[in-house]
Amino acid sequence: MLLLIWSLAALGLAFCALLAWALYALLRMDPAWLNDLPGLAQRLPMQEWLNHAFPGWQGLLGWAVDTAHWMLGWAGAAAPVVAWIVFALCAFFVLGGAALLTLAVKLLRRKPLPARAAA
């Protein structure tokens, strides 16, 4: 059981590293690619349905693009620090969970009864 717990913890740490790397790569991207989104949104196949279901979605998309532009510009400079913080928090929760499960297994494991002396 302990082998399974710590194998899953190692897999979780690998996932944390992958998540931190992906976040770093996203934050280091040039935010200029966001300017293409409103133009691409105009070519969506279900324009009428979107206009009917979500009135004003184009204005919301413009606001979201501007906000994402600002956030990527700000966070791009701090990308290494942000990625390390995300990795540290993720690793803390993975290792803490594995430690708690290990403690639970150790405490709940049956202890062998002492052998009786033959009469």
mmCIF file of all heavy atoms in Angstrom, residues 62-79:
data_model
loop_
_atom_site.group_PDB
_atom_site.id
_atom_site.type_symbol
_atom_site.label_atom_id
_atom_site.label_comp_id
_atom_site.label_asym_id
_atom_site.label_seq_id
_atom_site.Cartn_x
_atom_site.Cartn_y
_atom_site.Cartn_z
ATOM 1 N N GLY A 62 -13.945 41.317 -26.248
ATOM 2 C CA GLY A 62 -12.987 42.418 -26.331
ATOM 3 C C GLY A 62 -12.427 42.788 -24.969
ATOM 4 O O GLY A 62 -11.224 43.018 -24.823
ATOM 5 N N TRP A 63 -13.299 42.822 -23.963
ATOM 6 C CA TRP A 63 -12.846 43.104 -22.593
ATOM 7 C C TRP A 63 -11.916 42.002 -22.094
ATOM 8 O O TRP A 63 -10.893 42.279 -21.458
ATOM 9 C CB TRP A 63 -14.056 43.229 -21.670
ATOM 10 C CG TRP A 63 -13.684 43.444 -20.252
ATOM 11 C CD1 TRP A 63 -13.308 44.605 -19.666
ATOM 12 C CD2 TRP A 63 -13.631 42.437 -19.231
ATOM 13 N NE1 TRP A 63 -13.030 44.394 -18.341
ATOM 14 C CE2 TRP A 63 -13.216 43.054 -18.049
ATOM 15 C CE3 TRP A 63 -13.898 41.070 -19.211
ATOM 16 C CZ2 TRP A 63 -13.057 42.371 -16.864
ATOM 17 C CZ3 TRP A 63 -13.746 40.383 -18.028
ATOM 18 C CH2 TRP A 63 -13.322 41.043 -16.885
ATOM 19 N N ALA A 64 -12.255 40.731 -22.383
ATOM 20 C CA ALA A 64 -11.417 39.613 -21.945
ATOM 21 C C ALA A 64 -10.046 39.648 -22.622
ATOM 22 O O ALA A 64 -9.024 39.349 -21.993
ATOM 23 C CB ALA A 64 -12.117 38.284 -22.231
ATOM 24 N N VAL A 65 -10.006 40.022 -23.891
ATOM 25 C CA VAL A 65 -8.727 40.117 -24.614
ATOM 26 C C VAL A 65 -7.868 41.225 -24.017
ATOM 27 O O VAL A 65 -6.664 41.046 -23.797
ATOM 28 C CB VAL A 65 -8.970 40.330 -26.119
ATOM 29 C CG1 VAL A 65 -7.702 40.774 -26.825
ATOM 30 C CG2 VAL A 65 -9.515 39.069 -26.745
ATOM 31 N N ASP A 66 -8.484 42.367 -23.725
ATOM 32 C CA ASP A 66 -7.723 43.468 -23.112
ATOM 33 C C ASP A 66 -7.189 43.078 -21.740
ATOM 34 O O ASP A 66 -6.036 43.373 -21.402
ATOM 35 C CB ASP A 66 -8.597 44.714 -22.998
ATOM 36 C CG ASP A 66 -8.929 45.320 -24.338
ATOM 37 O OD1 ASP A 66 -8.196 45.014 -25.303
ATOM 38 O OD2 ASP A 66 -9.917 46.078 -24.412
ATOM 39 N N THR A 67 -8.017 42.411 -20.948
ATOM 40 C CA THR A 67 -7.587 41.969 -19.611
ATOM 41 C C THR A 67 -6.473 40.929 -19.708
ATOM 42 O O THR A 67 -5.486 40.999 -18.976
ATOM 43 C CB THR A 67 -8.786 41.396 -18.834
ATOM 44 O OG1 THR A 67 -9.810 42.383 -18.772
ATOM 45 C CG2 THR A 67 -8.386 40.988 -17.439
ATOM 46 N N ALA A 68 -6.621 39.976 -20.624
ATOM 47 C CA ALA A 68 -5.582 38.955 -20.792
ATOM 48 C C ALA A 68 -4.289 39.583 -21.302
ATOM 49 O O ALA A 68 -3.198 39.164 -20.906
ATOM 50 C CB ALA A 68 -6.065 37.872 -21.754
ATOM 51 N N HIS A 69 -4.400 40.582 -22.152
ATOM 52 C CA HIS A 69 -3.224 41.310 -22.642
ATOM 53 C C HIS A 69 -2.467 41.941 -21.473
ATOM 54 O O HIS A 69 -1.242 41.829 -21.363
ATOM 55 C CB HIS A 69 -3.674 42.406 -23.604
ATOM 56 C CG HIS A 69 -2.899 42.479 -24.857
ATOM 57 N ND1 HIS A 69 -1.615 42.923 -24.909
ATOM 58 C CD2 HIS A 69 -3.238 42.155 -26.125
ATOM 59 C CE1 HIS A 69 -1.191 42.886 -26.136
ATOM 60 N NE2 HIS A 69 -2.166 42.417 -26.901
ATOM 61 N N TRP A 70 -3.209 42.614 -20.613
ATOM 62 C CA TRP A 70 -2.590 43.262 -19.455
ATOM 63 C C TRP A 70 -1.970 42.232 -18.508
ATOM 64 O O TRP A 70 -0.845 42.400 -18.032
ATOM 65 C CB TRP A 70 -3.636 44.095 -18.713
ATOM 66 C CG TRP A 70 -3.121 44.675 -17.455
ATOM 67 C CD1 TRP A 70 -2.311 45.754 -17.315
ATOM 68 C CD2 TRP A 70 -3.342 44.168 -16.136
ATOM 69 N NE1 TRP A 70 -2.031 45.965 -15.993
ATOM 70 C CE2 TRP A 70 -2.655 45.004 -15.245
ATOM 71 C CE3 TRP A 70 -4.073 43.096 -15.631
ATOM 72 C CZ2 TRP A 70 -2.658 44.789 -13.876
ATOM 73 C CZ3 TRP A 70 -4.079 42.889 -14.268
ATOM 74 C CH2 TRP A 70 -3.386 43.739 -13.416
ATOM 75 N N MET A 71 -2.716 41.151 -18.241
ATOM 76 C CA MET A 71 -2.211 40.144 -17.296
ATOM 77 C C MET A 71 -0.981 39.425 -17.835
ATOM 78 O O MET A 71 -0.034 39.176 -17.083
ATOM 79 C CB MET A 71 -3.313 39.136 -16.959
ATOM 80 C CG MET A 71 -4.384 39.716 -16.068
ATOM 81 S SD MET A 71 -5.652 38.534 -15.650
ATOM 82 C CE MET A 71 -4.719 37.364 -14.684
ATOM 83 N N LEU A 72 -0.989 39.076 -19.114
ATOM 84 C CA LEU A 72 0.186 38.406 -19.682
ATOM 85 C C LEU A 72 1.379 39.348 -19.742
ATOM 86 O O LEU A 72 2.519 38.924 -19.571
ATOM 87 C CB LEU A 72 -0.124 37.854 -21.071
ATOM 88 C CG LEU A 72 -0.929 36.568 -21.109
ATOM 89 C CD1 LEU A 72 -1.224 36.172 -22.540
ATOM 90 C CD2 LEU A 72 -0.218 35.451 -20.386
ATOM 91 N N GLY A 73 1.128 40.613 -19.992
ATOM 92 C CA GLY A 73 2.236 41.576 -19.985
ATOM 93 C C GLY A 73 2.835 41.724 -18.605
ATOM 94 O O GLY A 73 4.057 41.813 -18.443
ATOM 95 N N TRP A 74 1.985 41.735 -17.584
ATOM 96 C CA TRP A 74 2.475 41.874 -16.211
ATOM 97 C C TRP A 74 3.136 40.592 -15.731
ATOM 98 O O TRP A 74 4.218 40.610 -15.155
ATOM 99 C CB TRP A 74 1.316 42.225 -15.274
ATOM 100 C CG TRP A 74 1.697 42.163 -13.849
ATOM 101 C CD1 TRP A 74 2.372 43.101 -13.146
ATOM 102 C CD2 TRP A 74 1.451 41.085 -12.953
ATOM 103 N NE1 TRP A 74 2.549 42.683 -11.859
ATOM 104 C CE2 TRP A 74 1.999 41.441 -11.710
ATOM 105 C CE3 TRP A 74 0.820 39.848 -13.080
ATOM 106 C CZ2 TRP A 74 1.938 40.598 -10.607
ATOM 107 C CZ3 TRP A 74 0.757 39.020 -11.979
ATOM 108 C CH2 TRP A 74 1.309 39.410 -10.766
ATOM 109 N N ALA A 75 2.474 39.467 -15.945
ATOM 110 C CA ALA A 75 2.978 38.202 -15.419
ATOM 111 C C ALA A 75 4.131 37.652 -16.242
ATOM 112 O O ALA A 75 4.875 36.794 -15.760
ATOM 113 C CB ALA A 75 1.855 37.174 -15.354
ATOM 114 N N GLY A 76 4.292 38.122 -17.476
ATOM 115 C CA GLY A 76 5.397 37.630 -18.300
ATOM 116 C C GLY A 76 6.749 37.931 -17.698
ATOM 117 O O GLY A 76 7.683 37.137 -17.779
ATOM 118 N N ALA A 77 6.860 39.068 -17.040
ATOM 119 C CA ALA A 77 8.128 39.421 -16.403
ATOM 120 C C ALA A 77 8.379 38.588 -15.156
ATOM 121 O O ALA A 77 9.519 38.329 -14.789
ATOM 122 C CB ALA A 77 8.131 40.899 -16.046
ATOM 123 N N ALA A 78 7.314 38.161 -14.510
ATOM 124 C CA ALA A 78 7.443 37.394 -13.270
ATOM 125 C C ALA A 78 7.192 35.900 -13.499
ATOM 126 O O ALA A 78 6.930 35.166 -12.547
ATOM 127 C CB ALA A 78 6.458 37.926 -12.232
ATOM 128 N N ALA A 79 7.276 35.441 -14.743
ATOM 129 C CA ALA A 79 6.946 34.055 -15.069
ATOM 130 C C ALA A 79 7.754 33.026 -14.284
ATOM 131 O O ALA A 79 7.182 32.054 -13.778
ATOM 132 C CB ALA A 79 7.084 33.816 -16.566
#
